[in-house]
Structures are given as C-alpha cells and as structure tokens.
Amino acid sequence: MHIMEGFLPPMWALFWFVMSIPVVAYGLVQLNKLVKEKPETKSLLAVAGAFAFVLSALKLPSVTGSCSHPTGTGLGAICFGPAITSVLATVVLLYQALFLAHGGLTTLGANIFSMGIVGPVVAYVVFKACKKANIGLMPAVFLAAALGDWATYVTTSVQLAVAFPTALGGTFASFKIFATIFAVTQVPLAIAEGIVTALIVNYISQVRVDVLEQLKVIVSSKAVSTS
Amino acid sequence: MNWKLTLIMLTLLALLYQPVCLAEEEEVWGGADGLAEDKITEIAPDYEPWFSPIWEPPSGEIESLLFSTQAAIGALIIGYFFGYSKAKKQEKNN
C-alpha cells in the first residue's frame, strides 16, 4: 500500500496531507490526554505500536504471485480508536520512508490516510458493530482487523486511480487496474491479519484484562472465557 | 479451550499459505508496490517522479536487515509486555 516516493503528482500529494494532518494532530492531543488520565494503558499503547511495526515489516506472498504486507493497525484501532492509531501508523510510515525507501516523504500524507486513517476507522466501526451484535470478542476482532486491513489497500487503489486515470476508461478503469494489484492480493493477507490480531487480543485478555476493560474493549471480565 | 482455539487459528493460517508454498510455476513474488509503480508508468508514460528518496538502502541485503530490525523492535516490545504481565499476574495469584 506504500505509494512510492514522488509517485503522486504534487497536487495530490498536498491534498492527502491536508486530509491527514488534522486527524494525526487530533490523535496527538488524544494520545497526550490518554497517557495523562490513564497511565496504566501506556504499556498496551506500546504493544499496539509494536504490533504495527512487526506486521508491516512482514512482506508475505499472496496467491496472486506478488508480495504485500499486513498493516497491524487493527489492534490499535480496537483498543484506542482511529485517531490515536493514526499517530502510531505515522511513526511506522516515517521509519519506512526514511530508512527503507519504502513509501516516501511526499507520499506520506496519502499513505497515512490509507493505513493510518481509513483502515483504523473501518476496523473501529466494524468492531463496534460486532460488539453490538454480540458475536463474541474473537470473531469481532477478526472481522475488524481483516476488513480494516483490506480497506487500507482499497484506499490505496482509489488514491492511485484518481491521480492516474487511464486515457480511455478514466478513473474507474484505472481503479480496476490498481485494485487488481492491491485489493485482490490483499484478501489472504487480510484474513491472516485478522487471525493474528484475534490471537494477540485473546492473549492480552488473559494477562491484562483490566486494561481492556478500562478502554471499554471488553464490557466485564465475565464476558471473557477464562481458562 | 484457548489452546484449542489457538491451534485452530494457526491451522487456518497454514492452510492459507499452503497454495503459495506448493505453487509449482516460477512466480516472481515481487512487491505489490513495485507492480503499482509499473502500472503508473504504463498508464502515464510521461509521468516523471518529482522527488526521490533522500536515502536508499545500498543493497537488498541491507534493506532486509532494516526490515528485520523493524520487526525485531516490535517483537521485543510485545514479548516484554507479555512476559512482564504474565509474571505480574502469577505474583498476584500467589
């Protein structure tokens, strides 16, 4: 989902920065508030950031014959909401842009928008809806993380399509081309990300259920099966 | 119960990757990001990237070193958290 350095026309690069900066700024405010008001959530915050670090470093092969990577932002979105997660994603994307020439500084705004904002928002909304539907913690986490991951890659396809419409078919034909690369490749990876995120949330619920309750991820400890 | 669930999920993960591992034809397994780059040049042949990375890993090996460093940093933090929390919980139970 990394749009390479310089591969968005300046106009679009600027546009995605304008879209992303307010969210990240709001996330920073929220992050400060959270650390001050609930300092005991700090360790889980570190884990959510670390999880995105690990997962976005793993480039996995997909059935389509190309490699892509999960985003790891589902965990943060479920625990802390999309705004704070956008800050975590920004850290990851900056690391990759500076040290790996993966993504870039000019395309940072666009990449933050897909991985740090749209993906986490989708994961957050799906998780809330699943919680209401009462389908259980693990299935809810799975669906939220998988759909959030996938939404990130659909967003990248849209971003490239609007910047590079084809001469004949326009934006829509272009979207089909990029979606074939990103969205289709991502399906098995999104499922994998859903599974891994569900596993880690399950484990967190075993060792630190208090933090999950405080963040209102879990309603009461009775709702969690204890082993 | 949780052990079983974990096992089921790990099996699912393995199944997900089975077709990839058993693929017989020589696939490229290149990065999707790179494929998108190729498509951009195809759609807009006149497009010139107007900015290039300030620094690029000098070789593929160094790039994979930095990628593993990224994963290692993350894994270290996650491992520390779980070890610490588990020990703390046991302490409390005793």
Side-chain angles (χ1 to χ4, degrees):
Chain A
M1 44 80 27
H2 293 87
I3 300 177
M4 295 294 189
E5 184 76 282
F7 266 88
L8 273 184
M11 248 280 295
W12 282 109
L14 186 72
F15 174 78
W16 295 114
F17 268 109
V18 171
M19 298 291 282
S20 298
I21 287 172
V23 182
V24 177
Y26 178 65
L28 274 172
V29 173
Q30 272 207 320
L31 189 71
N32 273 323
K33 220 172 94 186
L34 181 83
V35 171
K36 263 193 203 121
E37 285 170 9
K38 300 174 182 166
E40 56 287 2
T41 60
K42 254 193 273 183
S43 55
L44 190 59
L45 196 63
V47 169
F51 190 67
F53 242 68
V54 178
L55 259 66
S56 62
L58 302 176
K59 289 202 248 183
L60 305 170
S62 174
V63 278
T64 52
S66 59
C67 286
S68 192
H69 61 89
T71 60
T73 52
L75 179 65
I78 288 163
C79 295
F80 301 103
I84 290 182
T85 308
S86 76
V87 180
L88 302 178
T90 304
V91 176
V92 176
L93 289 167
L94 254 181
Y95 177 97
Q96 294 184 325
L98 290 176
F99 299 123
L100 295 161
H102 217 70
L105 295 176
T106 57
T107 52
L108 189 64
N111 291 334
I112 291 174
F113 192 79
S114 61
M115 179 172 146
I117 299 174
V118 176
V121 165
V122 168
Y124 184 75
V125 171
V126 169
F127 185 69
K128 287 278 163 196
C130 288
K131 234 172 82 177
K132 264 215 179 111
N134 232 339
I135 59 165
L137 179 65
M138 298 275 273
V141 173
F142 167 78
L143 282 175
L147 289 172
D149 172 302
W150 196 65
T152 293
Y153 280 80
V154 173
T155 307
T156 305
S157 311
V158 172
Q159 287 172 326
L160 288 174
V162 291
F164 298 100
T166 58
L168 290 174
T171 306
F172 187 71
S174 177
F175 174 73
K176 265 178 36 195
I177 293 173
F178 290 114
T180 315
I181 297 175
F182 286 119
V184 178
T185 303
Q186 201 61 18
V187 171
L189 302 195
I191 297 172
E193 169 154 11
I195 294 175
V196 175
T197 311
L199 282 176
I200 199 160
V201 169
N202 179 45
Y203 199 56
I204 294 170
S205 75
Q206 287 170 28
V207 291
R208 281 304 296 273
V209 77
D210 56 307
V211 180
L212 289 183
E213 281 170 10
Q214 198 183 19
L215 291 166
K216 299 196 176 76
V217 177
I218 294 173
V219 184
S220 82
S221 44
K222 280 174 211 155
V224 187
S225 64
T226 43
S227 57
Chain B
M1 178 59 205
N2 270 318
W3 261 111
K4 263 189 208 160
L5 205 61
T6 310
L7 210 66
I8 290 170
M9 292 193 134
L10 287 178
T11 317
L12 265 175
L13 267 183
L15 281 177
L16 211 57
Y17 278 92
Q18 183 232 7
V20 172
C21 302
L22 296 183
E24 286 194 0
E25 69 266 50
E26 284 275 315
E27 294 275 8
V28 204
W29 305 121
D33 294 343
L35 287 181
E37 207 178 305
D38 297 345
K39 283 289 171 203
I40 292 174
T41 9
E42 220 170 89
I43 293 172
D46 303 330
Y47 184 76
E48 283 286 328
W50 55 286
F51 201 83
S52 40
I54 339 180
W55 183 80
E56 263 180 272
S59 78
E61 275 72 18
I62 295 172
E63 188 183 334
S64 67
L65 163 75
L66 288 163
F67 261 113
S68 356
T69 312
Q70 187 194 331
I73 294 170
L76 193 76
I77 297 171
I78 296 174
Y80 178 85
F81 169 80
F82 280 131
Y84 184 79
S85 306
K86 199 173 177 195
K88 212 169 150 190
K89 201 181 160 198
Q90 269 170 357
E91 181 89 339
K92 229 166 80 184
N93 290 345
N94 285 337

